[in-house]
Amino acid sequence: MTLSRAIIRPILLACIGIALSAATLFKLYFDRSLISSTNNELRYQESIVQSIKSEATLTALPRSPDAYQDHINALQTKIQLLVNTADFCCIPEAVQVQDSLSRLLPVNVSDRLQNNQLTSLVDAVSGDVDALIQSVVIKRAAISQQLQRKDLRVQQGLILAATVSVISVLVAWWWIRRLLLTHRNRLNHQIQTLSSTQRATTKSSSPLAFEFEETLNLVSNLLQQENQALHQQFDNARAQELATRSVLETSIDEAIKLIDTLNAPIFAVSREGSITLWNKTVEAATGLGADTVFGQNFLDVLGQVSDTQQIRYAFEAAQSGRKSRGIELNIAQRRSVPLATIFSVAPMAGTSPTQRGVIFFGQDITALKQANTEISASATKLQLSLDRLDVVLHSANAIVWDWNLSSQDLEFIGQSRDTLALDFAKQPMSTLADLKSLIHAEELDAFERAIARHISKDKPLEMHCRLRQKDGGYRWFLLNGQLLTSGQSGNQHIVGSLLDMNDRIEQEHQIWRMAHLDALTQLPNRSLFNQRFEEKLNGKNKRPEPFSVAILDINDFKQINDARGHVAGDRLLTEFAELLQAHITADDSLVARLGGDEFAMLISPALSDEDFQILSDKLINDARQIVYTDSGDRGVQFSLGMARYPEHGISMEDLLRAADTAMYRAKRDKITGSRFQLFHAGMDEIRIQRAQLRDLVAQALENDEFRLMYQPIVALGSGDVVSAEALLRWPSGPGVAIPDIISVAEDSGLILKLSEIIFDQAFSLLARLQDLGLKQTIAVNLSGVQFRYQDIAAILTNYARAHGADTHRLIIEITESVFLDNIEKTQKTIRELSQHGVRVAIDDFGTGYSSLAYLQKLTVDWIKVDQSFITDINESNPNYQIVNAIVQMGQALNMGLVAEGVENLAELEQLAEMGCERVQGYYFSKPLSDSDFIAFASIPNHPWQIIVPEPKVLA
């Protein structure tokens, strides 16, 4: 290394040290300048704030409105300039000052000195400005501290830079001095060596010349010997080089032959692109021999059979020393498909320019490409099949699942998986726990048992289960799977499908519900009830535990349905079904609707007599609260019969017949409301008799066998026939009591048709009396079913219009039980009848639940005392006080009194003495036909008229 080059290093080191010191000083000074500038800016802004404070005082504010506005605007401009700066944009005090100034604008300046509001606003501005000044002072103090710290760092940096610069210069000087001393010592040594040589030569030239010549000869001989040895070594090396070249040429020829034998296209070119190697594979592929292409440009040669753009870029890269791979070259062939090749291109390094160039090593990928094409086609077909499968799965809402037992990964496949309540975008791979989380709790245990049996015992995995969807609902799926084992890895998979069966299962459930559940109430129907009944009788135990079976029937449901409409009827049935379900909650019990208004219950364990009464009372009380119309119609009455297994039968037929018989026995007393009855021996005969009577009544109605007979009613005092009570008779009947006929007719719904006959005959008689000029009225007994559930006023008006009769001459007789259930409904009906001139009488008063409170609420015209109180009446008879009390009550309430069943003069006189107004009975006449009654009523004077006493008027 020369001295000049050696000196450059220490000088460069010194320059670097000085440059670093200067850069550090510049950076410190630049930072200090920024902080100083910020401090000066804050000082200026503080002065502006101080000016705002001095100008925002009462004494500084102008008195002129315009000048006042301009002054405030100028202050706002100043504070806005401050807010717009980087230092003030985030200071809340500046914004508060701005807001305070804005509140000064709307103040009336003309009386600002007397305006307390202006004073308070100015004080607020002053306070906000003081706060802003304090904030600026704090910020300036912080900036000043930063400036002091930065000055200290500049001083420290200046000392450090000076120290580094001095050390760099000293080190450089020491290094240069050392280099100079070293070169000086070498130069002195060389000078001393040269001087010594010259002195030795001078010393030996005269006396030792001969010795010097001998020495020179010896050195010359040695040099010649060394030269000869060198020539010999050169000749040997030359011969070895020729031998090596020969071997190399032989190796090259063999390598070329080997290259020719390779089934790979290989060729080489010079740096200029001239072909220097062209193997047999390239010859066969291009059809161009090596002799014809040597020395030619390879791009021109290959351009005849292929596109050379990519290989040109690879050649240019190789010229720059870069290798290329994957260069595709498709060589066209005359009689076959193009040869697809892929080349690796690399530069060749040689000792001489002629040996340098580029080699192209290719590989025939025609078969591979064809295979790829076939694989691609197969993949396309496979993908098409998968797409079709996906479409099929999606259409069927089906999902394929694959559970790897080794990794525990579970994959869902199919578009329909997106409906499941899993986030596949966040977690594409699931686990068996995820599948379990989707399964409904009612099927989860069955799924776990099924999959465990499938793995351990190879039992088929197939079951129906509900899976949770993204919308939170559940759908039915058919889950199946098959355990598979991989042949290579031995991993076990369970691959299966989830087929959406929701619609089908829902249809099956719907079909089952339609076949086994009542459509209106959703209770089990007769079919399911009978099935469960048989299961209870023929269960696992040879002898079932005792249980109860009950039959319930809603009283007068047909009349309610006809009067209130089917909507009200359906609502009543639904409410009644819910009531029964609320009270029958045991797991082994059942409530069913057998049809119409008939319900049945299976109750386990069997109810004792006391428990049966408790349950019946609860049902009766709650049934009174049922509301089944929008207008507020309330209360349902029913009849309940119960039988017990095995006490009343051991077969379903016997038990149902027993419960049904008990129910019909309870229905006989329905006039008093809801009734219940436990079956006992002897009831079957009663049920059969009522069934036979129902058939006879129905046949009699078809044959028009029923007739009305009329028993005259006589006024005490005058003895005139003033009215008649219409009594139903069945002349050709089996001699059954009329109340039993009415009861059967009400139970079977025949009462409506029977009422049509009664009204038709009664109004027909009224019309005939009216035409004859007779003034008698007709009293008709009305069924409680009709009164409660039919529009009686409208029905009577229609019959009166049809016969041309006057409704004012009609009296409707009802029993006390009619109005006991619903006093409000009774009041409404009586008011409607009164509006049409129809009068109302309470029949058989005193035999039921007579109540003064009810009579006070009802506008009843007549009270009819039952015959049982009249027979043999005298002061010693206990009934005397009862009848006397009734008479007094009737007079107090301004109601007329009619005594029934008068059969002798003594009873007549006693009733007159009590103050009774009218009487009827066999003493005057038996019931007469319509023609006989007209004749009877037409007689001007009757024999009893001379002895009929005047009724006593009570004070």
Side-chain angles (χ1 to χ4, degrees):
M1 181 183 296
T2 60
L3 179 62
S4 59
R5 290 185 179 180
I7 292 176
I8 290 176
R9 292 183 179 179
I11 294 175
L12 182 60
L13 176 61
C15 292
I16 291 174
I18 294 171
L20 289 175
S21 300
T24 301
L25 285 175
F26 177 79
K27 177 64 171 59
L28 292 173
Y29 181 79
F30 179 77
D31 291 342
R32 184 190 181 283
S33 300
L34 289 178
I35 295 174
S36 178
S37 175
T38 302
N39 189 37
N40 294 334
E41 184 69 22
L42 285 174
R43 186 181 293 109
Y44 170 72
Q45 291 165 353
E46 182 181 1
S47 64
I48 294 177
V49 175
Q50 291 288 356
S51 67
I52 292 175
K53 179 179 179 181
S54 62
E55 294 173 5
T57 60
L58 285 175
T59 56
L61 292 176
R63 298 180 181 275
S64 171
D66 294 336
Y68 173 82
Q69 295 291 335
D70 294 339
H71 187 77
I72 297 301
N73 289 334
L75 294 178
Q76 285 186 325
T77 303
K78 289 182 179 181
I79 194 64
Q80 184 64 43
L81 291 175
L82 293 179
V83 172
N84 290 338
T85 61
D87 294 326
F88 275 74
C89 64
C90 297
I91 296 179
E93 290 82 359
V95 179
Q96 291 176 2
V97 172
Q98 192 177 23
D99 293 339
S100 300
L101 290 174
S102 64
R103 287 193 290 269
L104 286 174
L105 282 175
V107 176
N108 187 2
V109 72
S110 60
D111 58 344
R112 64 186 185 280
L113 295 178
Q114 291 80 25
N115 195 336
N116 293 328
Q117 179 183 5
L118 179 61
T119 303
S120 62
L121 290 176
V122 170
D123 293 338
V125 172
S126 178
D128 293 338
V129 171
D130 290 337
L132 179 58
I133 293 173
Q134 184 65 27
S135 177
V136 173
V137 170
I138 293 172
K139 194 167 186 180
R140 274 195 59 202
I143 294 297
S144 299
Q145 291 179 0
Q146 293 181 11
L147 185 60
Q148 292 175 1
R149 289 195 297 269
K150 193 59 68 175
D151 288 336
L152 179 61
R153 290 182 182 178
V154 169
Q155 294 174 3
Q156 293 173 348
L158 182 60
I159 295 171
L160 180 61
T163 303
V164 171
S165 299
V166 171
I167 291 173
S168 299
V169 171
L170 291 175
V171 169
W173 168 247
W174 174 81
W175 197 342
I176 292 172
R177 182 175 178 278
R178 185 170 178 273
L179 290 173
L180 291 175
L181 290 174
T182 301
H183 279 77
R184 187 187 68 179
N185 292 335
R186 287 180 181 175
L187 182 59
N188 291 334
H189 179 70
Q190 291 175 356
I191 293 172
Q192 290 175 1
T193 302
L194 181 60
S195 299
S196 298
T197 303
Q198 289 178 352
R199 285 195 301 268
T201 302
T202 305
K203 183 177 179 180
S204 61
S205 59
S206 52
L208 300 175
F210 177 77
E211 184 179 354
F212 179 72
E213 289 178 359
E214 287 295 328
T215 302
L216 288 176
N217 291 333
L218 180 59
V219 172
S220 176
N221 291 333
L222 291 173
L223 290 175
Q224 287 179 359
Q225 291 176 3
E226 185 68 26
N227 185 31
Q228 290 176 358
L230 290 174
H231 278 290
Q232 184 64 38
Q233 291 177 0
F234 177 77
D235 292 339
N236 292 337
R238 181 67 177 175
Q240 186 177 1
E241 179 185 359
L242 293 175
T244 302
R245 180 177 294 179
S246 175
V247 172
L248 181 60
E249 290 176 353
T250 302
S251 299
I252 290 174
D253 292 339
E254 292 177 353
I256 292 173
K257 291 179 181 178
L258 179 61
I259 289 174
D260 288 338
T261 60
L262 294 176
N263 189 23
I266 301 172
F267 64 94
V269 300
S270 64
R271 293 184 62 84
E272 291 76 20
S274 300
I275 296 175
T276 58
L277 176 64
W278 193 262
N279 76 339
K280 298 295 184 181
T281 305
V282 181
E283 287 185 4
T286 59
L288 302 174
D291 297 337
T292 60
V293 300
F294 274 145
Q296 297 186 27
N297 188 284
F298 78 102
L299 294 174
D300 296 335
V301 173
L302 292 178
Q304 303 174 21
V305 294
S306 179
D307 182 11
T308 59
Q309 183 176 3
Q310 291 188 24
I311 210 160
R312 180 194 300 273
Y313 294 151
F315 174 69
E316 293 174 354
Q319 287 181 317
S320 302
R322 299 193 304 273
K323 298 179 180 180
S324 302
R325 293 181 179 179
I327 308 302
E328 189 171 347
L329 186 68
N330 295 321
I331 301 174
Q333 300 184 93
R334 295 180 180 178
R335 297 183 179 180
S336 60
V337 297
L339 180 69
T341 59
I342 185 168
F343 279 89
S344 296
V345 183
M348 293 189 303
T351 56
S352 64
T354 58
Q355 295 175 341
R356 298 171 189 154
V358 178
I359 186 168
F360 297 79
F361 184 87
Q363 184 179 1
D364 185 358
I365 60 170
T366 304
L368 179 61
K369 201 166 185 179
Q370 290 177 349
N372 285 339
T373 303
E374 294 174 358
I375 292 173
S376 179
S378 300
T380 301
K381 293 180 180 179
L382 178 60
Q383 184 61 44
L384 180 60
S385 299
L386 290 176
D387 292 341
R388 290 173 177 171
L389 176 60
D390 195 39
V391 171
V392 172
L393 291 175
H394 184 63
S395 300
N397 201 13
I399 304 168
V400 175
W401 60 282
D402 182 355
W403 180 37
N404 188 327
L405 273 65
S406 300
S407 64
Q408 294 297 308
D409 290 336
L410 190 147
E411 182 179 8
F412 292 96
I413 303 170
Q415 299 180 29
S416 299
R417 72 174 191 172
D418 293 333
T419 63
L420 300 178
L422 293 176
D423 190 355
F424 292 104
K426 183 178 180 180
Q427 185 178 358
M429 195 63 66
S430 306
T431 63
L432 186 64
D434 295 325
L435 177 57
K436 290 181 180 180
S437 69
L438 300 176
I439 298 176
H440 196 280
E442 295 179 2
E443 292 95 36
L444 183 57
D445 290 341
F447 169 75
E448 292 177 342
R449 291 194 300 270
I451 202 165
R453 287 196 304 267
H454 183 67
I455 295 174
S456 61
K457 302 180 181 179
D458 197 25
K459 298 290 185 181
L461 177 58
E462 183 172 315
M463 63 175 292
H464 287 96
C465 62
R466 286 166 289 179
L467 299 183
R468 184 161 46 88
Q469 307 294 291
K470 272 190 169 59
D471 58 5
Y474 284 87
R475 291 184 68 85
W476 281 100
F477 283 81
L478 173 61
L479 184 149
N480 55 38
Q482 180 62 47
L483 182 64
L484 303 176
T485 303
S486 176
Q488 296 180 352
S489 62
N491 291 336
Q492 289 186 317
H493 290 249
I494 293 182
V495 180
S497 64
L498 295 168
L499 182 61
D500 191 332
M501 303 291 288
N502 194 73
D503 294 340
R504 176 179 172 182
I505 292 178
E506 287 295 335
Q507 289 175 359
E508 292 176 354
H509 288 177
Q510 180 64 22
I511 293 172
W512 186 90
R513 286 192 292 268
M514 292 173 63
H516 297 89
L517 298 182
D518 176 58
L520 177 63
T521 63
Q522 294 302 302
L523 291 177
N525 59 13
R526 184 182 294 274
S527 174
L528 183 58
F529 177 80
N530 292 342
Q531 178 182 333
R532 297 290 172 82
F533 206 148
E534 291 289 353
E535 291 174 358
K536 184 176 285 291
L537 291 173
N538 304 318
K540 297 179 180 180
N541 299 325
K542 293 182 178 181
R543 185 179 181 87
E545 295 294 328
F547 62 90
S548 298
V549 56
I551 302 294
L552 300 91
D553 189 90
I554 298 176
N555 294 342
D556 307 322
F557 176 74
K558 185 177 186 305
Q559 288 73 26
I560 297 174
N561 207 36
D562 293 341
R564 300 293 183 262
H566 293 291
V567 174
D570 290 347
R571 182 173 172 182
L572 188 152
L573 291 172
T574 303
E575 295 287 342
F576 190 68
E578 293 178 357
L579 169 65
L580 297 179
Q581 285 183 301
H583 287 278
I584 308 300
T585 58
D587 294 337
D588 200 23
S589 299
L590 179 70
V591 178
R593 182 188 177 197
L594 302 184
D597 60 338
E598 188 177 16
F599 295 82
M601 297 187 295
L602 291 176
I603 306 174
S604 295
L607 297 178
S608 65
D609 293 356
E610 182 180 359
D611 292 336
F612 175 55
Q613 182 170 354
I614 293 174
L615 173 63
S616 300
D617 289 339
K618 289 181 179 178
L619 291 175
I620 291 172
N621 292 331
D622 291 347
R624 293 194 182 105
Q625 308 305 320
I626 292 179
V627 178
Y628 55 89
T629 64
D630 294 337
S631 59
D633 288 322
R634 180 188 299 273
V636 178
Q637 296 178 358
F638 62 90
S639 300
L640 167 63
M642 189 187 78
R644 284 192 290 256
Y645 171 90
E647 179 182 350
H648 300 135
I650 58 174
S651 68
M652 180 175 68
E653 182 179 358
D654 292 341
L655 289 169
L656 287 177
R657 182 172 61 249
D660 193 55
T661 300
M663 184 271 294
Y664 274 105
R665 179 63 184 84
K667 191 176 283 291
R668 291 181 60 184
D669 300 326
K670 71 174 184 177
I671 194 69
T672 60
S674 297
R675 304 292 293 173
F676 56 91
Q677 178 67 52
L678 180 65
F679 178 80
H680 59 79
M683 282 188 177
D684 272 342
E685 184 179 353
I686 298 173
R687 182 183 63 83
I688 294 172
Q689 290 176 356
R690 289 180 63 83
Q692 293 174 346
L693 180 59
R694 181 185 60 227
D695 295 338
L696 291 175
V697 171
Q699 185 177 359
L701 289 173
E702 291 294 330
N703 298 332
D704 195 19
E705 298 178 11
F706 290 101
R707 292 289 181 270
L708 287 183
M709 304 295 283
Y710 302 92
Q711 186 173 37
I713 298 176
V714 178
L716 291 181
S718 67
D720 294 335
V721 177
V722 293
S723 184
E725 180 181 3
L727 302 173
L728 183 66
R729 294 294 183 265
W730 188 4
S732 60
V736 180
I738 294 300
D740 292 338
I741 295 174
I742 298 298
S743 175
V744 169
E746 288 179 341
D747 291 344
S748 60
L750 297 175
I751 190 65
L752 298 180
K753 191 170 184 179
L754 185 59
S755 297
E756 292 177 0
I757 294 176
I758 294 173
F759 288 146
D760 185 69
Q761 294 183 17
F763 276 101
S764 176
L765 176 59
L766 280 175
R768 292 170 63 187
L769 292 173
Q770 186 174 322
D771 292 341
L772 294 173
L774 299 176
K775 304 298 184 181
Q776 287 79 10
T777 60
I778 300 297
V780 178
N781 288 281
L782 192 66
S783 166
V785 175
Q786 294 174 282
F787 192 85
R788 281 193 294 264
Y789 304 119
Q790 287 189 310
D791 190 352
I792 297 299
I795 292 174
L796 295 178
T797 303
N798 291 336
Y799 275 103
R801 188 181 299 111
H803 289 276
D806 187 1
T807 56
H808 290 77
R809 300 177 63 182
L810 181 69
I811 299 175
I812 293 297
E813 293 187 4
I814 59 175
T815 60
E816 297 171 78
S817 60
V818 171
F819 56 78
L820 288 177
D821 290 331
N822 194 334
I823 186 65
E824 292 80 9
K825 176 66 172 59
T826 304
Q827 286 178 314
K828 179 181 178 183
T829 303
I830 291 177
R831 283 196 299 269
E832 292 175 351
L833 291 173
S834 299
Q835 291 173 0
H836 291 85
V838 179
R839 284 169 286 180
V840 178
I842 299 178
D843 195 17
D844 300 332
F845 187 82
T847 60
Y849 302 92
S850 303
S851 172
L852 180 61
Y854 286 144
L855 291 178
Q856 288 177 325
K857 294 180 180 179
L858 301 176
T859 55
V860 178
D861 299 285
W862 294 93
I863 296 176
K864 299 190 71 173
V865 183
D866 188 69
Q867 181 181 357
S868 62
F869 297 104
I870 303 303
T871 303
D872 298 330
I873 187 171
N874 54 58
E875 292 184 0
S876 63
N877 191 323
N879 291 333
Y880 176 83
Q881 298 298 333
I882 296 176
V883 175
N884 192 37
I886 293 174
V887 172
Q888 293 181 22
M889 180 182 65
Q891 291 183 356
L893 295 176
N894 198 26
M895 297 179 183
L897 272 298
V898 180
E900 298 180 316
V902 177
E903 296 184 353
N904 54 59
L905 181 60
E907 294 173 351
L908 179 64
E909 291 176 345
Q910 185 64 62
L911 290 171
E913 179 65 22
M914 290 181 177
C916 186
E917 300 177 37
R918 293 182 179 183
V919 292
Q920 73 179 85
Y922 276 83
Y923 179 74
F924 301 101
S925 172
K926 64 179 182 180
L928 305 171
S929 66
D930 52 355
S931 299
D932 293 340
F933 176 75
I934 291 174
F936 186 82
S938 300
I939 298 175
N941 296 305
H942 292 279
W944 65 78
Q945 287 181 304
I946 59 174
I947 60 173
V948 171
E950 289 284 345
K952 182 180 179 180
V953 179
L954 300 178

